[in-house]
Amino acid sequence: MIRVAVVDDEALVRRGLAVLLGSEAGVDVVGEAGDGVQAVALAQRERPDVVLMDVRMPGIDGIEATRRITADPALVDTHVLVL
C-alpha cells in the first residue's frame, strides 16, 4: 500500500486528486492540505510515502514546504512529487 498526501490550495483540484488516487488499488490517501504549513504538519503526522505538492500556494509555497519536508530526518522515506 502506497500512502499518499495531496497538497493544493485549490480545494476542487485537491479533492479531485484525492478521490482519483483513492480509487486505485494499492493507494491510500492519508490526508489533504491546502497550504505549505499544513503540508509539513501533515507529512510529520502521517509520514506518507509520497506527497503530491502544488508549487504555487499562499503563505509558504510548495517549494519551501518541500525543503522543510526533505530536510526533516524523520521524513527520510517520504518523497515529494511536485505538481
Side-chain angles (χ1 to χ4, degrees):
M1 189 65 81
I2 298 171
R3 296 169 41 83
V4 179
V6 180
V7 181
D8 197 298
D9 62 323
E10 295 291 333
L12 187 59
V13 171
R14 184 174 65 242
R15 191 68 205 132
L17 285 170
V19 168
L20 182 66
L21 290 167
S23 69
E24 291 296 317
V27 177
D28 181 22
V29 177
V30 296
E32 300 175 35
D35 63 38
V37 171
Q38 292 174 1
V40 174
L42 175 62
Q44 290 171 334
R45 183 177 64 250
E46 297 296 332
R47 302 192 191 238
D49 299 309
V50 177
V51 176
L52 294 180
M53 180 76 71
D54 183 20
V55 173
R56 290 187 184 170
M57 293 183 289
I60 294 176
D61 64 14
I63 302 298
E64 180 58 27
T66 297
R67 280 189 195 112
R68 292 181 186 191
I69 290 169
T70 58
D72 188 335
L75 298 174
V76 68
D77 293 326
T78 298
H79 302 280
V80 179
L81 177 62
V82 176
L83 300 174

